[in-house]
């Protein structure tokens, strides 16, 4: 019998009353009450953005029953511009949240009781994109250019890269507040635009080149990848409530939630088209080819994970903190004013989750991972 069937039979016997139940909900609500009948534990997960391939692993964990098999009834809460996931978590309106590490650490420095319990993205997905004919191939080439950035704490890799190249962001470039799209770049209003590898970069490749009447090609653009400059910062992580981690019941839920989440991401690694379909069905406003691109590119940020998916690498954490403490924005501000305390992260629960998954035969390192080729359609349809 396949190991998946064996595992599910065993879990079904232990959790006979558990039923797969999950939804993607626009807004958060009150904290999850404990089950009153011995049934599955209600859990609320707050995302940091709208439903899209960036969160495919959590959606897959719901749809494939990975959470339910572990006795969890997970409700996914959508994010948005006006939703700060780590604040929702700290206020008790969610049980876990997905947030970028520097932003969450800034909230923690301001008093939010949150802890990184699983570092899902092992690499940064942030690019600075320009048309190839602008000659911008390194951070030093940004000098004298119109440089777009989103702000809201998304800009510090860019600012650190420029500072490292000897550019003073406040005086040596023209900073432009960029919308969460690529229109300013495509219209020639800025020379370089901030983009996520899994989202906005695809948007330029889904646009029509007026010179050819065909979609733009990667060769039409130059990319600065902050992973290659030494100024990358850790991004999507699972955050838990620090005080609640003193409760053995919540500790147990945290381990089970991480295990289900990592199994969901392993499923998306091995079944990107299936995860694309689940994201689209969950209500994504972006099209199928765009979502397949997203799932594929996000897989590159997670896999391979030689130490096990979700394990927080001390060197990457230290680099994130160093950039957060030293890189200044146009107002001369840094993300952090001091080093975070030791409770800011822990590998205790992810290691326990990985131990469970290995025992179940789940590949938690993805050492043989190979991305697929994705053909984008106009507008990402």
């Amino acid at each position: 019998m396949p190991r998946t069937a064996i595992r599910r039979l065993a879990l079904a016997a232990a959790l006979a009353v558990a039923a797969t139940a999950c939804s993607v909900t626009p807004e958060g609500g009150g904290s999850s009450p404990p089950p009153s009948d011995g049934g599955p534990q209600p859990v609320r997960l707050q995302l940091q953005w709208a439903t899209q391939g960036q969160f495919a692993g959590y959606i897959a964990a719901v749809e494939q029953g990975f959470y339910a098999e572990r006795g969890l009834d997970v409700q996914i809460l959508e994010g948005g511009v006006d939703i700060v996931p780590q604040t929702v978590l700290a206020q008790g309106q969610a049980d876990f949240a997905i947030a970028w590490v520097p932003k969450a650490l800034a909230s923690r420095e301001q008093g939010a009781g949150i802890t990184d319990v699983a570092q899902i993205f092992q690499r940064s997905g942030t690019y600075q994109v320009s048309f190839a004919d602008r000659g911008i191939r390194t951070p030093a080439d940004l000098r004298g250019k119109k440089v777009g950035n989103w702000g809201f704490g998304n800009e510090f890799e860019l600012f650190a890269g420029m500072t490292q190249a000897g550019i003073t962001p406040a005086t040596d470039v023209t900073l432009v507040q960029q919308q969460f799209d690529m229109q300013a770049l495509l219209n020639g209003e800025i020379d370089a635009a901030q983009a996520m590898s899994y989202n906005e970069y695809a948007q330029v490749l889904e646009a029509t080149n007026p010179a050819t009447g065909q979609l733009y090609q990667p060769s039409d653009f130059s990319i600065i990848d902050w992973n290659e400059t030494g100024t990358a910062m850790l991004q999507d992580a699972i955050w838990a409530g620090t005080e609640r981690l003193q409760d053995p019941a919540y500790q147990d839920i945290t381990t089970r939630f991480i295990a289900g989440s990592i199994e969901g991401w392993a499923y998306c690694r091995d079944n990107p088209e299936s995860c694309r379909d689940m994201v689209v069905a969950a209500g994504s406003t972006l099209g199928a080819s765009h979502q397949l691109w997203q799932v594929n590119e996000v897989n590159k940020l997670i896999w391979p994970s030689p130490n096990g998916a979700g394990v927080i690498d001390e060197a990457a954490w230290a680099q994130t903190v160093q950039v957060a403490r030293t890189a200044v924005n146009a107002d001369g501000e840094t993300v952090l004013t001091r080093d975070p305390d030791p409770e800011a992260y822990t590998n205790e629960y992810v290691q326990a989750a990985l131990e469970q998954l290995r025992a179940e035969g789940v590949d938690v390192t993805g050492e043989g991972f190979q991305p697929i080729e994705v053909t984008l359609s106009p507008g990402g349809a």
Side-chain angles (χ1 to χ4, degrees):
M1 182 180 293
R3 65 97 186 156
T4 302
I6 294 173
R7 187 190 73 232
R8 290 182 177 175
L9 284 172
L11 286 168
L15 304 167
V17 296
T20 302
C22 179
S23 62
V24 178
T25 306
E27 296 181 2
S31 58
S32 300
S36 59
D37 58 357
Q41 170 70 44
V43 170
R44 292 193 172 197
L45 170 65
Q46 177 64 62
L47 304 182
Q48 62 181 349
W49 199 244
T51 302
Q52 58 181 13
Q54 177 182 1
F55 311 112
Y58 311 108
I59 295 170
V62 168
E63 298 300 327
Q64 295 300 114
F66 301 145
Y67 290 135
E69 289 172 351
R70 291 172 167 80
L72 303 177
D73 174 4
V74 175
Q75 181 183 22
I76 297 178
L77 310 175
E78 273 198 304
V81 175
D82 58 345
I83 294 175
V84 181
Q86 61 269 25
T87 300
V88 174
L89 171 65
Q91 292 177 344
Q93 296 176 311
D95 300 289
F96 302 98
I98 307 302
W100 283 16
V101 170
K103 296 181 185 182
L105 288 180
S107 294
R108 183 177 173 83
E109 185 174 281
Q110 295 164 11
I114 55 176
T115 297
D116 183 346
V117 291
Q119 186 59 51
I120 301 301
F121 285 14
Q122 298 289 307
R123 290 162 280 279
S124 169
T126 310
Y127 289 163
Q128 202 72 16
V129 180
S130 59
F131 280 104
D133 60 10
R134 298 296 177 96
I136 302 173
R137 294 175 177 79
T138 69
D141 298 325
L142 293 168
R143 186 184 299 274
K145 300 295 195 298
K146 294 181 180 178
V147 180
N149 72 92
W150 297 316
F152 301 104
N154 299 293
E155 73 275 20
F156 285 94
E157 291 170 302
L158 164 65
F159 281 51
M162 289 193 290
T163 301
Q164 180 177 274
I167 294 175
T168 302
T171 58
D172 294 340
V173 300
T174 300
L175 296 171
V176 179
Q177 180 73 44
Q178 182 185 329
Q179 298 300 311
F180 287 94
D181 58 39
M182 300 299 279
Q183 291 305 307
L185 178 71
L186 294 171
N187 295 336
E189 300 169 20
I190 57 178
D191 298 302
Q194 194 165 25
M196 301 309 297
S197 61
Y198 50 82
N199 193 356
E200 289 79 14
Y201 179 55
Q203 291 178 25
V204 298
L205 300 177
E206 295 161 355
T208 300
N209 182 346
T212 65
Q214 305 297 317
L215 295 185
Y216 282 109
Q217 299 299 307
S219 58
D220 294 319
F221 300 97
S222 295
I223 295 170
I224 299 174
D225 182 344
W226 302 117
N227 295 292
E228 299 174 358
T229 68
T231 62
M233 304 172 84
L234 291 171
Q235 298 182 344
D236 289 31
I238 298 174
W239 294 80
T242 305
E243 288 189 14
R244 290 185 68 188
L245 285 172
Q246 303 302 312
D247 178 3
Y250 183 66
Q251 293 173 4
D252 177 61
I253 291 169
T254 298
T255 299
R256 286 186 279 144
F257 177 77
I258 294 171
S261 300
I262 291 174
E263 187 166 13
W265 281 115
Y267 180 87
C268 288
R269 176 195 66 211
D270 300 334
N271 303 275
E273 293 89 352
S274 175
C275 285
R276 178 266 321 273
D277 293 342
M278 285 186 273
V279 171
V280 171
S284 168
T285 59
L286 300 171
S289 74
H290 187 94
Q291 292 304 338
L292 184 58
W293 176 282
Q294 279 214 12
V295 173
N296 192 46
E297 292 299 315
V298 167
N299 275 333
K300 296 178 186 178
L301 303 180
I302 302 172
W303 312 103
S305 292
N307 296 323
V311 172
I312 301 160
D313 179 77
E314 291 185 5
W317 179 273
Q319 177 173 300
T320 298
V321 170
Q322 191 270 338
V323 172
R325 288 207 58 190
T326 59
V328 297
N329 62 14
D331 299 321
E333 298 175 339
T334 60
V335 180
L336 300 177
T337 63
R338 59 182 182 272
D339 286 346
D341 63 88
E343 289 188 320
Y345 83 88
T346 176
N347 278 320
E348 177 181 354
Y349 306 102
V350 69
Q351 292 287 17
L354 291 171
E355 184 177 349
Q356 291 180 12
L357 291 168
R358 290 188 182 103
E360 296 168 4
V362 177
D363 176 5
V364 297
T365 63
E367 292 182 4
F369 165 70
Q370 292 294 328
I372 63 173
E373 292 292 330
V374 178
T375 300
L376 290 167
S377 300

